[in-house]
C-alpha cells in the first residue's frame, strides 16, 4: 500500500494483515556528488514502487526519508531511529530501510529494523529494454529477501 | 470620429459577450461531457491491448504474459505494465486471469507453493486459487481472480479490461 488516502483507508481496515513497513532512504547533495545522489534516489524509488506493486497487500511503502548526504551520520541515524520507533511501536513487525547509500552500512547494527543496501545501477546510460530487465532482476532479488524474511517469521 | 470606429460602449459590449460566451461554454462543456461520458467510456472499455503472446503458443500450463499500456491517472499519463496468467482450459479455450489477489491486492504466482501444487498462490497471506481462478475456501481471498476478456488478432493475444468472474 502506498501513502495516499485510498490505500490508507484499506490499511486502516486491514491492519492485521499489513506487518511490514518499507522506508526508502533518499540522499540529496548539492555541494558535491550531486548526480550520484540523484541516481541513488531514482534507483531506490523505482525499486520500491515495483516492490509495492508485487506485495501491496502486506507492506506499507512510506514516502521516502530524504536527507542531506553531507550531514553527519550520527545525526541522520538519530532521525532514522525516530521513524523506526514510530513504526515498531505501532504494530509493524518488519521495518525495512531501502538504500543505495553505503554510508548507512557503517551504522547498520545500531538499527532495529533491517537495512537493505542495493548498489545503484547507472540506469541513465541504458536503453529502456535493458533498463527494465535489469530492474526486474533487482526486484526479484528483493522479493526473495522479503519472502525469506516473512517465512522465517511466520 | 469615423463611423467605422468602435465606440467605447460597443467595445465593452462585444468583449463582455465574448467573455460571457467563453464562460458559458466553460460551464456547459463539462455538463455535455457528463451527459455523453457513459458513451465515451463504453468505447474506452472495449479497447483491447496487444500482448506479445502468440495465440498458437499458448499451452495448458498457465504462463505469465506482460503487456504495456498507457494509463491515465488524473492529469498524468504513465506507461504501466499489466500482467495476465494465460492458458488453455480442458475445452481448449483460452483463459486469461488477472494476477491481482482478491484479498488485498498482492500479485499471485502459479505453482510456487510446494505444499499446494498446481494452484495460484499469493505470497502475502497464503491465498490460494485453483487453476480456473476459484478461491480456495479457508484462505483469505473471498472472490475468484478477475478474468480478462480476450481477442485474437494477427495471431497475437489482445486483452481487454479484467472483470470479476461471473458466478457460475
Ligand atoms: S493479499 Fe493475497 S492473501 Fe492477502
Amino acid at each position: 500500500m502506498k501513502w495516499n488516502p485510498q490505500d490508507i483507508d484499506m490499511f486502516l481496515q486491514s491492519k492485521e494483515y499489513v506487518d511490514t513497513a518499507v522506508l526508502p532512504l533518499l540522499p540529496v547533495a548539492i555541494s558535491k556528488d550531486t548526480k550520484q545522489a540523484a541516481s541513488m534516489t531514482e534507483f531506490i524509488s523505482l525499486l520500491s514502487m515495483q516492490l509495492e506493486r508485487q506485495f501491496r497487500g502486506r507492506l506499507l511503502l512510506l514516502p521516502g526519508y530524504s536527507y542531506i548526504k553531507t550531514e553527519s551520520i550520527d545525526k541522520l541515524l538519530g532521525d532514522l531511529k525516530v521513524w523506526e520507533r514510530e513504526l515498531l511501536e505501532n504494530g509493524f513487525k518488519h521495518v525495512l530501510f531501502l538504500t543505495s547509500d553505503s554510508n548507512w552500512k557503517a551504522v547498520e547494527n545500531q538499527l532495529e529494523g533491517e537495512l537493505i543496501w542495493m548498489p545503484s545501477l547507472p540506469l541513465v546510460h541504458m536503453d529502456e529494454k535493458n533498463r527494465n530487465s535489469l530492474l526486474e532482476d533487482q526486484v526479484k532479488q528483493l522479493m526473495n529477501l522479503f519472502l525469506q524474511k516473512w517465512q522465517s517469521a511466520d | 470620429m469615423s463611423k467605422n470606429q468602435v465606440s467605447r460602449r460597443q467595445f465593452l459590449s462585444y468583449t463582455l459577450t465574448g467573455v460571457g460566451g467563453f464562460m458559458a461554454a466553460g460551464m456547459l462543456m463539462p455538463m455535455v461531457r457528463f451527459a455523453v461520458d457513459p458513451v465515451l467510456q463504453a468505447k474506452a472499455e472495449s479497447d483491447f491491448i496487444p500482448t506479445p503472446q502468440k495465440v498458437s503458443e499458448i499451452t495448458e500450463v498457465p504462463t505469465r504474459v506482460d503487456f504495456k499500456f498507457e494509463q491515465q491517472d488524473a492529469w498524468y499519463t504513465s506507461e504501466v505494465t499489466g500482467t495476465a496468467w494465460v492458458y488453455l482450459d480442458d475445452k481448449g479455450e483460452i483463459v486469461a486471469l488477472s494476477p491481482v489477489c482478491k484479498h488485498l491486492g498482492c500479485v499471485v504466482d502459479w505453482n510456487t507453493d510446494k505444499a499446494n501444487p498446481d494452484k495460484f498462490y499469493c505470497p502475502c497471506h497464503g491465498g490460494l486459487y485453483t487453476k480456473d481462478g476459484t478461491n480456495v475456501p479457508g484462505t483469505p481471498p473471498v472472490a475468484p481472480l478477475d478474468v480478462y476478456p480476450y481477442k485474437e488478432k494477427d495471431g497475437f493475444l489482445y486483452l481487454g479490461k479484467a472483470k470479476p468472474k461471473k458466478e457460475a
Side-chain angles (χ1 to χ4, degrees):
Chain A
M1 289 162 210
K2 294 197 277 284
W3 191 248
N4 66 39
Q6 294 92 317
D7 283 14
I8 290 308
D9 268 342
M10 187 158 101
F11 166 68
L12 293 173
Q13 279 161 28
S14 21
K15 258 189 171 170
E16 69 274 28
Y17 289 104
V18 188
D19 64 354
T20 305
V22 175
L23 182 66
L25 307 181
L26 311 172
V28 173
I30 309 293
S31 57
K32 59 170 193 199
D33 301 333
T34 313
K35 186 145 179 204
Q36 188 199 22
S39 309
M40 288 176 173
T41 296
E42 183 189 42
F43 179 66
I44 291 299
S45 309
L46 285 172
L47 277 188
S48 34
M49 272 161 54
Q50 287 302 322
L51 192 71
E52 192 272 344
R53 263 195 73 197
Q54 299 292 323
F55 289 151
R56 54 172 333 187
R58 186 157 178 184
L59 65 79
L60 178 65
L61 173 62
L62 296 157
Y65 167 55
S66 43
Y67 56 94
I68 302 295
K69 202 170 176 310
T70 46
E71 183 69 78
S72 86
I73 193 72
D74 292 324
K75 158 88 172 48
L76 294 176
L77 179 66
D79 284 352
L80 205 55
K81 285 193 158 166
V82 178
W83 284 83
E84 191 173 67
R85 206 174 320 127
E86 172 78 7
L87 295 165
L88 287 170
E89 278 173 10
N90 288 288
F92 285 102
K93 268 206 289 194
H94 309 285
V95 174
L96 294 113
F97 307 108
L98 218 56
T99 188
S100 281
D101 179 356
S102 51
N103 286 352
W104 289 106
K105 288 179 101 176
V107 292
E108 186 174 0
N109 48 12
Q110 295 177 52
L111 290 165
E112 265 180 81
E114 188 173 335
L115 185 81
I116 302 178
W117 180 78
M118 307 281 274
S120 130
L121 300 162
L123 296 175
V124 246
H125 304 300
M126 281 179 221
D127 63 42
E128 211 192 293
K129 220 177 132 208
N130 285 331
R131 187 182 146 127
N132 286 348
S133 69
L134 216 146
L135 271 175
E136 219 170 277
D137 281 352
Q138 302 283 316
V139 173
K140 281 222 181 89
Q141 280 188 34
L142 253 183
M143 284 171 63
N144 279 332
L145 230 142
F146 275 71
L147 289 175
Q148 275 166 22
K149 214 175 154 54
W150 287 340
Q151 251 156 32
S152 58
D154 289 348
Chain B
M1 233 193 240
S2 85
K3 272 195 183 154
N4 290 338
Q5 229 168 355
V6 182
S7 75
R8 187 178 302 230
R9 182 184 298 268
Q10 272 173 327
F11 173 76
L12 265 175
S13 78
Y14 287 154
T15 30
L16 282 182
T17 328
V19 171
F22 266 121
M23 282 170 47
M27 273 157 46
L28 279 173
M29 282 295 282
M31 292 197 219
V32 172
R33 273 207 46 179
F34 273 127
V36 184
D37 219 21
V39 184
L40 294 177
Q41 261 175 18
K43 185 182 160 286
E45 254 180 47
S46 70
D47 279 349
F48 281 79
I49 298 158
T51 72
Q53 177 67 46
K54 286 209 183 88
V55 171
S56 56
E57 286 171 4
I58 299 175
T59 66
E60 274 99 69
V61 184
T63 313
R64 193 189 154 129
V65 175
D66 287 327
F67 53 96
K68 287 205 159 64
F69 62 98
E70 304 250 286
Q71 179 174 277
Q72 208 154 353
D73 195 0
W75 48 80
Y76 178 99
T77 339
S78 50
E79 200 187 49
V80 286
T81 310
T83 303
W85 287 105
V86 179
Y87 65 92
L88 295 175
D89 67 10
D90 306 340
K91 294 178 215 107
E93 268 169 51
I94 296 173
V95 179
L97 297 175
S98 154
V100 177
C101 181
K102 296 298 271 188
H103 178 221
L104 293 172
C106 291
V107 174
V108 302
D109 229 328
W110 171 251
N111 208 6
T112 41
D113 184 31
K114 287 181 204 79
N116 292 285
D118 292 338
K119 297 242 170 12
F120 289 105
Y121 173 68
C122 177
C124 284
H125 317 102
L128 285 171
Y129 304 84
T130 53
K131 188 173 174 183
D132 65 354
T134 311
N135 50 304
V136 174
T139 66
V142 289
L145 293 172
D146 285 356
V147 182
Y148 286 105
Y150 68 90
K151 252 206 259 190
E152 183 184 342
K153 207 171 141 194
D154 308 323
F156 284 93
L157 183 71
Y158 280 60
L159 297 177
K161 209 169 169 277
K163 290 195 188 74
K165 187 172 168 165
K166 279 183 224 85
E167 301 301 327

